[in-house]
Amino acid sequence: MLLTDRTAIVHGGSGAVGAAVARGFAREGAVVHLTGRTVPPLEEVARRIRDDGGAAHVAELDATDRDAVARHADAVAAQGSPGRGIDICFNATSNDDIQGIPLLDMAVADVLRPVTKAVTTTLTTATAAARHMVRKGSGVILVMGGGREAIPDLGGSHIAWSALAGACRQLASELGPHGVRVAWLLSPGSPAPGEENRAAEGALLTRRPLYDDVANAAVFAASDWARTMTASELNLTAGLVVD
């Protein structure tokens, strides 16, 4: 298994992406710590992981609360194997965006809300985990982002995604000398049930990524198979975004 004996924190662990990634990490041998604002859905994800033979723990946590996130990271690091601390931190928290309204008609505060939320949760979760990773000289920080395609009426989402990429690049540049890698995943979102074989409009491939596809990419990025990847974007848009 690719992540045997690793300790992973998944922030936003009850959402569709976070849950899929948490299951993927656990399937590959990681002990998974799920966080979110509401415990019951986190417990359901943890139950599924345990039923499949994996190890999962749950904590109620607001990812914008720097002190609370730091305390949680300290507790997770203390629970892990001696010398291992935290190996993986994945942030899949939501950004509270408003869509469907042109920027011309939006209040500035509404445009900036997802930008502030995205940058805050990314920096808060990443730095809390990175302090432990730096001490042991290894670790992986992963962030879930969105596409860079030009789509109207997405409010502040595009700005938030660009800000996330910038934050991840800077984190990678500062943490790389300490053996800590940083990457972010781009995805247009998974299809609705029954539309798995339907391409996203404008995509090059005929199939949109499933949540399991995102999870598999996150497992790869977190594993030693990707040990030379950092400051990297994993493009899972099926050709909707072409570099």
Side-chain angles (χ1 to χ4, degrees):
M1 293 188 287
L2 292 177
L3 304 177
T4 299
D5 295 330
R6 307 289 172 89
T7 297
I9 300 176
V10 177
H11 296 286
S14 63
V17 172
V21 169
R23 292 195 301 270
F25 287 166
R27 180 193 69 228
E28 294 298 326
V31 176
V32 180
H33 294 260
L34 304 161
T35 83
R37 294 189 177 190
T38 308
V39 169
L42 292 171
E43 290 286 8
E44 176 59 23
V45 177
R47 182 192 63 77
R48 291 184 61 184
I49 289 173
R50 294 174 192 134
D51 287 349
D52 290 336
H57 305 275
V58 167
E60 181 179 354
L61 189 65
D62 178 356
T64 66
D65 186 334
R66 186 172 190 177
D67 290 339
V69 172
R71 287 194 298 272
H72 177 260
D74 291 346
V76 170
Q79 292 174 28
S81 302
R84 287 225 63 98
I86 300 169
D87 299 290
I88 306 160
C89 178
F90 183 85
N91 180 20
T93 55
S94 63
N95 294 330
D96 300 337
D97 57 341
I98 297 175
Q99 299 185 6
I101 305 174
L103 289 177
L104 291 177
D105 300 325
M106 290 186 70
V108 172
D110 289 337
V111 176
L112 294 181
R113 186 177 299 111
V115 182
T116 301
K117 176 79 177 293
V119 173
T120 299
T121 59
T122 295
L123 291 179
T124 297
T125 59
T127 55
R131 289 187 179 91
H132 294 277
M133 295 174 178
V134 165
R135 292 190 192 112
K136 66 190 185 72
S138 66
V140 184
I141 294 169
L142 302 174
V143 177
M144 194 67 216
R148 289 180 277 106
E149 67 277 17
I151 299 175
D153 300 343
L154 286 188
S157 295
H158 281 301
I159 304 169
W161 297 331
S162 297
L164 282 180
C168 288
R169 288 189 181 96
Q170 184 162 341
L171 283 167
S173 70
E174 296 179 5
L175 297 175
H178 302 283
V180 180
R181 301 189 290 108
V182 183
W184 58 103
L185 286 68
L186 245 60
S187 173
S190 288
E195 296 187 351
E196 290 84 357
N197 292 314
R198 182 177 177 182
E201 184 177 354
L204 300 181
L205 298 180
T206 58
R207 185 186 181 105
R208 292 170 67 103
L210 305 177
Y211 292 122
D212 284 345
D213 294 322
V214 177
N216 290 338
V219 166
F220 165 75
S223 75
D224 290 342
W225 284 10
R227 63 187 180 185
T228 58
M229 289 180 60
T230 195
S232 299
E233 173 184 278
L234 281 74
N235 186 338
L236 309 176
T237 65
L240 192 61
V241 173
V242 179
D243 293 316

